[in-house]
Amino acid sequence: SPYLSYDQFAAQLRAMEERLGDPVEASMWEMQQMAGCEIYSRKITFPRHSATLNVVFDPSGSLLGFTFTDEKALLTETESAHHIYVSDTIQLPARLTMPSAVSVKDRVPVVILVHGSGPSNMDESMGPNAPFRDLAEGLSRRGVAVLRYDKRTFVCPQFFENAKEGYTYDDETVDDALSAIRLVKDSLAKEKAIDPSRIYIVGHSMGGMLAPRIAERSGEVAGKMRPTMERQLAYLGRSAEEARQLTDLALAEIPEVYLDMDARYSDTATAQNLNLPMLILQGERDYQVTMDDYRTWREAVGSRQGVVMKSYPSLNHLFMAGKGGSMPEEYQTPGHVAEEVMDDIANFVLSGK
């Protein structure tokens, strides 16, 4: 049936409220007719977003469905909207969160947030969770500016679908992080109270894996897919054979040049060649990036001066607290990045290491 049942309607409303919160205000309803259907629209303001709600009725008056369009994140007092210009055809919406003007006595360091794999908006939204928004708010309260942006795979997915020659980590992640560094140096540091000599990359998941490459290629900043996929599938209860077959299917969809770069790039080896301060944080309940990965990092750079490493027993892949074995469903439970993680990042950045 094309119609929404009461239960489906209620479930969609719940999902909307989880993601956007309770409405703050709404405009008058407007109605237009299209193909015999009546479409009622009104603009709604939520605590953090504005969006247009469209409710569609068929000619007999039955509810066909509702959608949100023109969703925009609202700026807070300490936020400003920007664009990262990667090329003539690629501009990524970005947002700078500054510490409150009262708390800023001098120029502040800035953190650039770099996402994990897959398409992702600037909040790195996952279900009702928004870890990058948490970090922007939490770090700015602690005296650190934060720049975050929509990932290229989120803004222009067609770039990747149409890439006949394939694409690499650089296309997906690294080039855009370098463009974000340029935006800070060429523009934001002139407009805002930002210290261009104190730029930090904070990478999550694949962004963390690529942070050494970003640093290496920028020259100015203060991979292994198959085993990772197979290990995650085994953790989720797949047999070794199933894990291998599912990984084969997934890798068959990934361009050869991307896999070639994955085979050649080593995050720890690259990090060993960098004379830079590093902060390496790990959730001990994380099944995607595991304590084995953390131990590999400790062996590679853990004893070096300027390297700080810390793991958190109760935290998962999103650095959110929980109990027992972490599973994908946990990411659908509303939560926030742990305060101690934000304390540790801010202390590291502000200590000027």
Side-chain angles (χ1 to χ4, degrees):
S1 162
Y3 302 115
L4 275 181
S5 70
Y6 171 82
D7 287 344
Q8 289 170 322
F9 185 66
Q12 286 194 23
L13 275 178
R14 273 197 306 277
M16 175 202 80
E17 286 169 355
E18 255 184 13
R19 198 166 58 81
L20 297 174
D22 293 327
V24 176
E25 60 181 12
S27 67
M28 299 288 285
W29 285 103
E30 293 178 11
M31 193 272 282
Q32 59 175 326
Q33 292 192 314
M34 196 177 292
C37 294
E38 291 185 344
I39 302 171
Y40 291 82
S41 302
R42 72 192 307 190
K43 187 173 176 182
I44 299 182
T45 305
F46 297 91
R48 298 174 182 278
H49 296 78
S50 67
T52 302
L53 170 65
N54 310 287
V55 183
V56 186
F57 294 92
D58 77 355
S60 73
S62 296
L63 176 62
L64 275 175
F66 70 95
T67 58
F68 276 106
T69 53
D70 301 325
E71 190 178 313
K72 292 186 179 69
L74 301 174
L75 293 170
T76 67
E77 283 179 21
T78 57
E79 289 181 323
S80 52
H82 304 275
H83 275 86
I84 292 170
Y85 290 92
V86 181
S87 68
D88 290 341
T89 52
I90 302 172
Q91 286 95 41
L92 308 177
R95 183 163 297 205
L96 176 70
T97 310
M98 291 291 292
S100 66
V102 184
S103 66
V104 177
K105 305 282 184 288
D106 205 348
R107 290 184 170 266
V108 296
V110 62
V111 154
I112 296 170
L113 301 180
V114 181
H115 323 72
S117 57
S120 190
N121 67 8
M122 65 177 70
D123 291 342
E124 206 187 35
S125 297
M126 197 173 293
N129 296 305
F132 277 13
R133 188 179 69 211
D134 289 349
L135 286 169
E137 292 176 359
L139 293 176
S140 62
R141 279 201 309 273
R142 291 162 170 83
V144 177
V146 178
L147 180 67
R148 67 197 202 272
Y149 53 91
D150 289 340
K151 197 175 168 189
R152 193 191 300 193
T153 42
F154 180 80
V155 175
C156 2
Q158 71 282 359
F159 174 92
F160 297 88
E161 288 158 9
N162 301 337
K164 290 187 178 61
E165 69 286 357
Y167 54 89
T168 66
Y169 287 143
D170 288 348
D171 300 314
E172 184 183 356
T173 296
V174 178
D175 290 347
D176 297 342
L178 296 173
S179 297
I181 293 167
R182 273 197 302 277
L183 175 69
V184 170
K185 286 181 169 290
D186 297 348
S187 170
L188 299 183
K190 292 171 183 162
E191 300 166 17
K192 310 281 183 181
I194 287 174
D195 183 347
S197 70
R198 290 195 289 163
I199 299 173
Y200 291 79
I201 294 294
V202 171
H204 176 232
S205 197
M206 188 177 86
M209 182 192 89
L210 292 171
R213 182 169 178 83
I214 295 165
E216 179 187 51
R217 284 195 50 206
S218 77
E220 297 163 358
V221 178
K224 300 296 156 273
M225 293 178 78
R226 170 174 285 281
T228 301
M229 284 183 181
E230 290 191 9
R231 185 191 67 219
Q232 289 180 23
L233 288 163
Y235 175 87
L236 296 174
R238 301 287 187 164
S239 70
E241 182 58 24
E242 278 181 308
R244 190 181 61 75
Q245 289 173 351
L246 288 166
T247 301
D248 283 344
L249 287 171
L251 294 179
E253 299 296 312
I254 296 172
E256 205 170 305
V257 291
Y258 193 100
L259 295 174
D260 181 53
M261 183 170 174
D262 176 67
R264 285 183 291 108
Y265 171 70
S266 164
D267 47 6
T268 48
T270 305
Q272 282 175 318
N273 292 325
L274 296 172
N275 184 26
L276 287 171
M278 297 179 211
L279 176 66
I280 299 157
L281 305 180
Q282 172 75 39
E284 293 185 20
R285 294 175 57 251
D286 187 344
Y287 72 87
Q288 291 177 262
V289 181
T290 68
M291 289 300 288
D292 284 344
D293 298 308
Y294 182 72
R295 283 186 278 271
T296 302
W297 273 94
R298 188 156 53 205
E299 283 166 23
V301 296
S303 59
R304 188 183 292 186
Q305 193 175 357
V307 173
V308 177
M309 297 189 66
K310 186 171 179 184
S311 66
Y312 308 87
S314 68
L315 303 188
N316 65 11
H317 189 60
L318 302 185
F319 289 96
M320 295 179 187
K323 292 190 172 116
S326 178
M327 296 299 273
E329 301 79 64
E330 190 180 0
Y331 304 155
Q332 300 305 313
T333 304
H336 292 285
V337 172
E339 294 288 323
E340 61 179 323
V341 170
M342 294 194 274
D343 285 339
D344 291 336
I345 295 173
N347 290 339
F348 179 83
V349 170
L350 293 169
S351 68
K353 286 200 166 77

